[in-house]
Amino acid sequence: MTAQPWGAYADISATMNAMSVAAPPDVRGNAEVRLLAALMRAKDLDDVNEAAITALLSATNADRAAILRFDEDGVMRFKAWRGLSPEYRDAVTGHTPWRPGTRNAQPIAVTDVSREATLRDFAKIFERESIGALAFIPLEIDGGVFGKFMLYYSEPHEFNAEELALAQAIASHVALATGHKRLEAAARHLTAIIDNSDDAILSKDLNGVITTWNEGAVRIFGYTAAEAVGEPISMLASPERMEEMRNILDRIRRGERVEPYDTIRRRKDGQTIDVSISVSPLRNAAGEITGASEITRDISGRKRAEGERARLLAGERQARKVAELLNRVGPMLAAELDLEKLVQAVTDVATELVGAEFGSFFHNVVNEKGESYMLYTLSGAPREAFAKFPMPRNTALFGPTFRGEDVVRCEDVTKDPRYGNNPPYDGMPKGHLPVRSYLAASVVSRGEVLGGLFFGHSVPGKFTENHEAIIRGVAAQAAIAMDNARLFEQAQWVQNELKQSNEELRRVNQDLETFAYSASHDLNEPLRTIALSAELLERTAANRLDKDGAKLVSMIRHGIRRMESLTRDLLAYTAATKHEESGPPGANAGQALAGVLENLNGPLEESGAVVTQTALPVVAMHESRLAQVLQNLVGNALKYRGAEAPRVHVSASERDGWCVVSISDNGIGIEPKFADSIFELFKRLHTRDEYPGTGIGLPICQRIVERYGGRIWLEKSVPGEGSTFCFSVPIARQ
């Protein structure tokens, strides 16, 4: 776009021409002529500033000069100068007697700066800069003061009216030239914006004839400026939008405001594009409307994005609807644990959700013998409709579903290339339900194909991608529900088996307890007889028995004591799992330990043992059972001692609602490899001559602790240094 000549600049030229003819060759005239000539040659504001400084210094008695202008922040700053140091410029930057936009400002002359009170703050810089007098000359245009000239004198100076008038005249010319250069710069800037805009910016007259055309219009519509200027704007309208253009021009003529609007325009190649248009009226100097400017933006990409967004939103809404539907169906299916009822519910629900006329669910069933066979359910059709037909085969159409592949959907199954190629029917058997629209999905759980859902409709094109999504979701829900139902059936079977096993175990344990009790009770009578006989033999024949005979009697008596201990411990072991009849469990472990230590008073004194303890809680055990466990463990600590006097420590800690009781000693210790076997019945690590016992104590402890849901274990042990046994039982609830 080409800028029009500026009227004020012509006035300067006329003034210069008049002065060159009429003005006398005096100083003022020569200075103004030279200034105007320099301003005519000036290319930018820097040239204007230099011309102004030169004119001021040649037309006045000043030895230095400067020109300053307000910046965007309203601060007066130096733009050109002669003979001024950087220190001075920094010191006085921002000082001005006028605010931006002041009108009718007059020059201010200071004949002696040392006597001017308002400039007292600058006295030192004036002295260093050798400034004795100065003058402020305003630069002013229609908008008011926008800058100033400064004249500087080394000595105090008396200003005359002619000198100030000449400086003011130079200021007027420079102000006009500065405004002109600013307008030129703004016009160039505007032209650059228009030419580099991505939008089409054009103008037209009131007849709709194009008058200007920028590069953005070339890019959008494909017409060059030479091809477009002078042509009717209607060449850009699509056929159905011709009336729209006429209506817009009519509104512009009437002076009505036209809001930005979206429409369709036609390119040079005939392609139509979506655009957004802003229209504004163009007025002449008299304010009359002469045409309109138009800014057109190509929004095809935005429209495509909006269309895609709308499609995605619709898809999202549909997906949400399907998800909500499946979320309602899922719990209903998951709640049904009867497999036969479940598969019928799946068939009915899925048939309704996809809008099928009829549906079926063919699924595999495994009986108690592990034999597999196929069953099916129907919805929307009586079972008799399939009674005469065999089960579906692994054909090209059915195969993908039975193999667990993706959903199969046919707009018209009779036109599908996979249809009708399998003898003996080569299509639907006679009397088969009429199927045109076809939809099928596999029901797969953990890689196993449980069956297939099949749906049909007598009208083609009934099933859509949305129905695919629905049936895919139903199949997934069905797989989970069927898995749950099968697991429930298996769990029921396992539970029944476990119940039978527990009942059998209970009978065996009862028989074992009866046998153990009977055996120990029945053994006691012959043991007493043997013991009495051995004692009588020892009394009556003691003098007649030789050394071997006496040894034999001693062995008999020792064997009797072992048998008595064994039967006693065997009875204790069988009784360890019997229920106490003394109410709910709850024992103070501290009190139970005190009773145990009292019972073990003899062994404690004999061995010189020291037993220490921490605070012990109330646990969910019967006190007699707890005492039995503690007595076994503390008794073992005393029995399996080393050379030193036994030191036993009993402590307790809480772990996740359980009380863990620890019994530590400094005894002979246990090899780690025996940590589990020591809890086996009759397991001994030493001979009876080394340490007496039957090997039943720890198994008894284990049976008692497990009876209350806990466990017992060897926490740590170092041979020769001692052991720590722990057992856990529930903490008693208050």
Side-chain angles (χ1 to χ4, degrees), residues 92-124:
V92 300
T93 291
H95 178 268
T96 175
W98 309 289
R99 291 194 300 271
T102 301
R103 296 183 182 276
N104 301 317
Q106 298 300 314
I108 299 173
V110 181
T111 59
D112 188 346
V113 297
S114 63
R115 296 182 178 182
E116 178 58 46
T118 60
L119 299 177
R120 188 171 297 144
D121 292 342
F122 303 104
K124 290 184 178 180

mmCIF file of all heavy atoms in Angstrom, residues 92-124:
data_model
loop_
_atom_site.group_PDB
_atom_site.id
_atom_site.type_symbol
_atom_site.label_atom_id
_atom_site.label_comp_id
_atom_site.label_asym_id
_atom_site.label_seq_id
_atom_site.Cartn_x
_atom_site.Cartn_y
_atom_site.Cartn_z
ATOM 1 N N VAL A 92 20.459 15.564 33.904
ATOM 2 C CA VAL A 92 19.267 16.388 33.653
ATOM 3 C C VAL A 92 18.183 15.636 32.888
ATOM 4 O O VAL A 92 17.121 16.219 32.612
ATOM 5 C CB VAL A 92 19.655 17.676 32.886
ATOM 6 C CG1 VAL A 92 20.651 18.496 33.677
ATOM 7 C CG2 VAL A 92 20.204 17.342 31.499
ATOM 8 N N THR A 93 18.431 14.367 32.540
ATOM 9 C CA THR A 93 17.388 13.591 31.861
ATOM 10 C C THR A 93 16.129 13.543 32.723
ATOM 11 O O THR A 93 16.184 13.264 33.917
ATOM 12 C CB THR A 93 17.874 12.159 31.571
ATOM 13 O OG1 THR A 93 18.890 12.219 30.567
ATOM 14 C CG2 THR A 93 16.735 11.276 31.077
ATOM 15 N N GLY A 94 14.998 13.818 32.110
ATOM 16 C CA GLY A 94 13.728 13.806 32.822
ATOM 17 C C GLY A 94 13.268 15.181 33.272
ATOM 18 O O GLY A 94 12.086 15.373 33.582
ATOM 19 N N HIS A 95 14.198 16.175 33.324
ATOM 20 C CA HIS A 95 13.797 17.518 33.760
ATOM 21 C C HIS A 95 13.106 18.251 32.624
ATOM 22 O O HIS A 95 13.578 18.250 31.489
ATOM 23 C CB HIS A 95 15.020 18.318 34.225
ATOM 24 C CG HIS A 95 14.658 19.724 34.629
ATOM 25 N ND1 HIS A 95 14.699 20.788 33.751
ATOM 26 C CD2 HIS A 95 14.225 20.212 35.819
ATOM 27 C CE1 HIS A 95 14.319 21.886 34.378
ATOM 28 N NE2 HIS A 95 14.031 21.565 35.650
ATOM 29 N N THR A 96 11.966 18.868 32.922
ATOM 30 C CA THR A 96 11.240 19.636 31.917
ATOM 31 C C THR A 96 10.278 20.591 32.608
ATOM 32 O O THR A 96 9.695 20.240 33.647
ATOM 33 C CB THR A 96 10.447 18.712 30.976
ATOM 34 O OG1 THR A 96 9.660 19.516 30.094
ATOM 35 C CG2 THR A 96 9.541 17.771 31.735
ATOM 36 N N PRO A 97 10.116 21.775 32.067
ATOM 37 C CA PRO A 97 9.147 22.718 32.657
ATOM 38 C C PRO A 97 7.716 22.437 32.224
ATOM 39 O O PRO A 97 6.786 23.078 32.726
ATOM 40 C CB PRO A 97 9.634 24.074 32.143
ATOM 41 C CG PRO A 97 10.337 23.762 30.874
ATOM 42 C CD PRO A 97 10.954 22.412 31.028
ATOM 43 N N TRP A 98 7.487 21.501 31.270
ATOM 44 C CA TRP A 98 6.134 21.240 30.777
ATOM 45 C C TRP A 98 5.816 19.748 30.871
ATOM 46 O O TRP A 98 6.682 18.892 30.685
ATOM 47 C CB TRP A 98 5.998 21.677 29.303
ATOM 48 C CG TRP A 98 6.476 23.067 29.046
ATOM 49 C CD1 TRP A 98 5.892 24.232 29.426
ATOM 50 C CD2 TRP A 98 7.664 23.418 28.342
ATOM 51 N NE1 TRP A 98 6.604 25.301 29.017
ATOM 52 C CE2 TRP A 98 7.719 24.838 28.334
ATOM 53 C CE3 TRP A 98 8.693 22.718 27.711
ATOM 54 C CZ2 TRP A 98 8.749 25.545 27.738
ATOM 55 C CZ3 TRP A 98 9.711 23.402 27.108
ATOM 56 C CH2 TRP A 98 9.757 24.810 27.130
ATOM 57 N N ARG A 99 4.569 19.464 31.124
ATOM 58 C CA ARG A 99 4.104 18.081 31.077
ATOM 59 C C ARG A 99 3.787 17.705 29.639
ATOM 60 O O ARG A 99 3.505 18.593 28.807
ATOM 61 C CB ARG A 99 2.849 17.892 31.940
ATOM 62 C CG ARG A 99 3.117 18.021 33.437
ATOM 63 C CD ARG A 99 1.933 17.495 34.230
ATOM 64 N NE ARG A 99 0.709 18.241 33.909
ATOM 65 C CZ ARG A 99 0.334 19.345 34.544
ATOM 66 N NH1 ARG A 99 1.102 19.856 35.517
ATOM 67 N NH2 ARG A 99 -0.786 19.965 34.234
ATOM 68 N N PRO A 100 3.760 16.388 29.285
ATOM 69 C CA PRO A 100 3.393 15.986 27.927
ATOM 70 C C PRO A 100 1.993 16.502 27.581
ATOM 71 O O PRO A 100 1.066 16.417 28.382
ATOM 72 C CB PRO A 100 3.424 14.458 27.981
ATOM 73 C CG PRO A 100 4.327 14.132 29.108
ATOM 74 C CD PRO A 100 4.146 15.226 30.112
ATOM 75 N N GLY A 101 1.856 17.049 26.366
ATOM 76 C CA GLY A 101 0.563 17.514 25.893
ATOM 77 C C GLY A 101 0.197 18.924 26.306
ATOM 78 O O GLY A 101 -0.913 19.392 26.001
ATOM 79 N N THR A 102 1.115 19.657 27.008
ATOM 80 C CA THR A 102 0.828 21.054 27.381
ATOM 81 C C THR A 102 0.624 21.891 26.115
ATOM 82 O O THR A 102 1.393 21.780 25.156
ATOM 83 C CB THR A 102 1.986 21.635 28.207
ATOM 84 O OG1 THR A 102 2.156 20.844 29.384
ATOM 85 C CG2 THR A 102 1.706 23.084 28.597
ATOM 86 N N ARG A 103 -0.399 22.719 26.101
ATOM 87 C CA ARG A 103 -0.697 23.539 24.918
ATOM 88 C C ARG A 103 -0.261 24.994 25.153
ATOM 89 O O ARG A 103 -0.255 25.498 26.271
ATOM 90 C CB ARG A 103 -2.185 23.480 24.596
ATOM 91 C CG ARG A 103 -2.666 22.070 24.212
ATOM 92 C CD ARG A 103 -4.131 22.070 23.821
ATOM 93 N NE ARG A 103 -4.594 20.732 23.493
ATOM 94 C CZ ARG A 103 -4.438 20.162 22.294
ATOM 95 N NH1 ARG A 103 -3.824 20.828 21.329
ATOM 96 N NH2 ARG A 103 -4.885 18.946 22.070
ATOM 97 N N ASN A 104 0.100 25.640 24.016
ATOM 98 C CA ASN A 104 0.489 27.061 24.008
ATOM 99 C C ASN A 104 1.643 27.344 24.964
ATOM 100 O O ASN A 104 1.660 28.358 25.683
ATOM 101 C CB ASN A 104 -0.703 27.953 24.367
ATOM 102 C CG ASN A 104 -1.873 27.768 23.395
ATOM 103 O OD1 ASN A 104 -1.648 27.699 22.172
ATOM 104 N ND2 ASN A 104 -3.085 27.705 23.920
ATOM 105 N N ALA A 105 2.592 26.434 25.018
ATOM 106 C CA ALA A 105 3.764 26.645 25.867
ATOM 107 C C ALA A 105 4.652 27.735 25.261
ATOM 108 O O ALA A 105 4.764 27.870 24.038
ATOM 109 C CB ALA A 105 4.546 25.351 25.997
ATOM 110 N N GLN A 106 5.299 28.516 26.106
ATOM 111 C CA GLN A 106 6.160 29.619 25.673
ATOM 112 C C GLN A 106 7.612 29.310 26.036
ATOM 113 O O GLN A 106 7.894 28.612 27.013
ATOM 114 C CB GLN A 106 5.722 30.916 26.346
ATOM 115 C CG GLN A 106 4.306 31.356 25.994
ATOM 116 C CD GLN A 106 4.137 31.597 24.506
ATOM 117 O OE1 GLN A 106 5.003 32.260 23.883
ATOM 118 N NE2 GLN A 106 3.060 31.079 23.931
ATOM 119 N N PRO A 107 8.579 29.895 25.238
ATOM 120 C CA PRO A 107 9.994 29.698 25.562
ATOM 121 C C PRO A 107 10.320 30.249 26.946
ATOM 122 O O PRO A 107 9.709 31.214 27.409
ATOM 123 C CB PRO A 107 10.722 30.472 24.467
ATOM 124 C CG PRO A 107 9.744 30.581 23.356
ATOM 125 C CD PRO A 107 8.394 30.670 23.995
ATOM 126 N N ILE A 108 11.307 29.627 27.609
ATOM 127 C CA ILE A 108 11.773 30.073 28.926
ATOM 128 C C ILE A 108 13.264 30.338 28.820
ATOM 129 O O ILE A 108 14.038 29.438 28.461
ATOM 130 C CB ILE A 108 11.489 29.016 30.006
ATOM 131 C CG1 ILE A 108 9.970 28.751 30.120
ATOM 132 C CG2 ILE A 108 12.057 29.440 31.351
ATOM 133 C CD1 ILE A 108 9.622 27.608 31.032
ATOM 134 N N ALA A 109 13.676 31.575 29.104
ATOM 135 C CA ALA A 109 15.089 31.953 29.019
ATOM 136 C C ALA A 109 15.621 32.199 30.418
ATOM 137 O O ALA A 109 15.011 32.914 31.223
ATOM 138 C CB ALA A 109 15.256 33.204 28.160
ATOM 139 N N VAL A 110 16.779 31.598 30.741
ATOM 140 C CA VAL A 110 17.440 31.783 32.036
ATOM 141 C C VAL A 110 18.759 32.484 31.760
ATOM 142 O O VAL A 110 19.702 31.887 31.224
ATOM 143 C CB VAL A 110 17.672 30.438 32.753
ATOM 144 C CG1 VAL A 110 18.342 30.671 34.114
ATOM 145 C CG2 VAL A 110 16.368 29.689 32.930
ATOM 146 N N THR A 111 18.813 33.782 32.080
ATOM 147 C CA THR A 111 19.994 34.584 31.729
ATOM 148 C C THR A 111 21.208 34.219 32.563
ATOM 149 O O THR A 111 22.342 34.335 32.091
ATOM 150 C CB THR A 111 19.677 36.080 31.905
ATOM 151 O OG1 THR A 111 19.286 36.310 33.271
ATOM 152 C CG2 THR A 111 18.535 36.503 30.985
ATOM 153 N N ASP A 112 21.006 33.755 33.804
ATOM 154 C CA ASP A 112 22.131 33.394 34.671
ATOM 155 C C ASP A 112 21.680 32.218 35.532
ATOM 156 O O ASP A 112 20.844 32.359 36.442
ATOM 157 C CB ASP A 112 22.527 34.575 35.554
ATOM 158 C CG ASP A 112 23.823 34.298 36.332
ATOM 159 O OD1 ASP A 112 24.244 33.123 36.389
ATOM 160 O OD2 ASP A 112 24.389 35.264 36.872
ATOM 161 N N VAL A 113 22.181 31.018 35.237
ATOM 162 C CA VAL A 113 21.720 29.809 35.933
ATOM 163 C C VAL A 113 22.085 29.821 37.404
ATOM 164 O O VAL A 113 21.415 29.180 38.223
ATOM 165 C CB VAL A 113 22.288 28.543 35.255
ATOM 166 C CG1 VAL A 113 21.788 28.408 33.838
ATOM 167 C CG2 VAL A 113 23.813 28.530 35.296
ATOM 168 N N SER A 114 23.131 30.559 37.766
ATOM 169 C CA SER A 114 23.556 30.569 39.176
ATOM 170 C C SER A 114 22.575 31.318 40.053
ATOM 171 O O SER A 114 22.596 31.185 41.284
ATOM 172 C CB SER A 114 24.954 31.184 39.300
ATOM 173 O OG SER A 114 24.934 32.547 38.885
ATOM 174 N N ARG A 115 21.707 32.149 39.427
ATOM 175 C CA ARG A 115 20.750 32.930 40.199
ATOM 176 C C ARG A 115 19.320 32.362 40.110
ATOM 177 O O ARG A 115 18.407 32.938 40.712
ATOM 178 C CB ARG A 115 20.754 34.383 39.708
ATOM 179 C CG ARG A 115 22.082 35.096 39.940
ATOM 180 C CD ARG A 115 21.982 36.537 39.481
ATOM 181 N NE ARG A 115 23.243 37.238 39.734
ATOM 182 C CZ ARG A 115 23.437 38.540 39.472
ATOM 183 N NH1 ARG A 115 22.437 39.251 38.970
ATOM 184 N NH2 ARG A 115 24.599 39.113 39.709
ATOM 185 N N GLU A 116 19.152 31.281 39.373
ATOM 186 C CA GLU A 116 17.803 30.733 39.187
ATOM 187 C C GLU A 116 17.532 29.676 40.272
ATOM 188 O O GLU A 116 18.148 28.606 40.311
ATOM 189 C CB GLU A 116 17.669 30.106 37.804
ATOM 190 C CG GLU A 116 16.315 29.461 37.522
ATOM 191 C CD GLU A 116 15.163 30.454 37.662
ATOM 192 O OE1 GLU A 116 15.267 31.588 37.137
ATOM 193 O OE2 GLU A 116 14.144 30.085 38.292
ATOM 194 N N ALA A 117 16.603 30.023 41.167
ATOM 195 C CA ALA A 117 16.318 29.138 42.305
ATOM 196 C C ALA A 117 15.793 27.779 41.878
ATOM 197 O O ALA A 117 16.083 26.762 42.511
ATOM 198 C CB ALA A 117 15.314 29.825 43.239
ATOM 199 N N THR A 118 15.005 27.738 40.780
ATOM 200 C CA THR A 118 14.405 26.459 40.370
ATOM 201 C C THR A 118 15.435 25.483 39.813
ATOM 202 O O THR A 118 15.146 24.295 39.668
ATOM 203 C CB THR A 118 13.309 26.704 39.314
ATOM 204 O OG1 THR A 118 13.898 27.346 38.176
ATOM 205 C CG2 THR A 118 12.192 27.574 39.874
ATOM 206 N N LEU A 119 16.642 26.008 39.487
ATOM 207 C CA LEU A 119 17.685 25.141 38.928
ATOM 208 C C LEU A 119 18.825 24.914 39.910
ATOM 209 O O LEU A 119 19.903 24.456 39.524
ATOM 210 C CB LEU A 119 18.234 25.755 37.628
ATOM 211 C CG LEU A 119 17.225 25.934 36.494
ATOM 212 C CD1 LEU A 119 17.890 26.627 35.305
ATOM 213 C CD2 LEU A 119 16.641 24.603 36.066
ATOM 214 N N ARG A 120 18.559 25.208 41.189
ATOM 215 C CA ARG A 120 19.628 25.120 42.177
ATOM 216 C C ARG A 120 20.171 23.692 42.303
ATOM 217 O O ARG A 120 21.358 23.494 42.561
ATOM 218 C CB ARG A 120 19.088 25.615 43.525
ATOM 219 C CG ARG A 120 20.178 25.765 44.611
ATOM 220 C CD ARG A 120 19.609 26.458 45.837
ATOM 221 N NE ARG A 120 19.189 27.810 45.494
ATOM 222 C CZ ARG A 120 18.110 28.410 46.014
ATOM 223 N NH1 ARG A 120 17.336 27.752 46.884
ATOM 224 N NH2 ARG A 120 17.780 29.649 45.677
ATOM 225 N N ASP A 121 19.322 22.696 42.102
ATOM 226 C CA ASP A 121 19.771 21.301 42.225
ATOM 227 C C ASP A 121 20.816 20.935 41.183
ATOM 228 O O ASP A 121 21.540 19.938 41.339
ATOM 229 C CB ASP A 121 18.577 20.349 42.103
ATOM 230 C CG ASP A 121 17.628 20.470 43.284
ATOM 231 O OD1 ASP A 121 18.040 21.006 44.326
ATOM 232 O OD2 ASP A 121 16.453 20.032 43.131
ATOM 233 N N PHE A 122 20.880 21.717 40.084
ATOM 234 C CA PHE A 122 21.823 21.398 38.995
ATOM 235 C C PHE A 122 23.041 22.321 38.998
ATOM 236 O O PHE A 122 23.801 22.361 38.030
ATOM 237 C CB PHE A 122 21.116 21.517 37.643
ATOM 238 C CG PHE A 122 19.896 20.651 37.518
ATOM 239 C CD1 PHE A 122 18.620 21.193 37.601
ATOM 240 C CD2 PHE A 122 20.017 19.287 37.352
ATOM 241 C CE1 PHE A 122 17.501 20.401 37.508
ATOM 242 C CE2 PHE A 122 18.900 18.483 37.240
ATOM 243 C CZ PHE A 122 17.622 19.038 37.325
ATOM 244 N N ALA A 123 23.234 23.100 40.080
ATOM 245 C CA ALA A 123 24.298 24.105 40.113
ATOM 246 C C ALA A 123 25.673 23.492 39.868
ATOM 247 O O ALA A 123 26.478 24.025 39.082
ATOM 248 C CB ALA A 123 24.265 24.852 41.461
ATOM 249 N N LYS A 124 25.960 22.357 40.523
ATOM 250 C CA LYS A 124 27.293 21.766 40.389
ATOM 251 C C LYS A 124 27.534 21.248 38.977
ATOM 252 O O LYS A 124 28.617 21.421 38.411
ATOM 253 C CB LYS A 124 27.461 20.641 41.409
ATOM 254 C CG LYS A 124 27.547 21.139 42.842
ATOM 255 C CD LYS A 124 27.812 19.979 43.798
ATOM 256 C CE LYS A 124 27.936 20.489 45.227
ATOM 257 N NZ LYS A 124 28.191 19.380 46.184
#
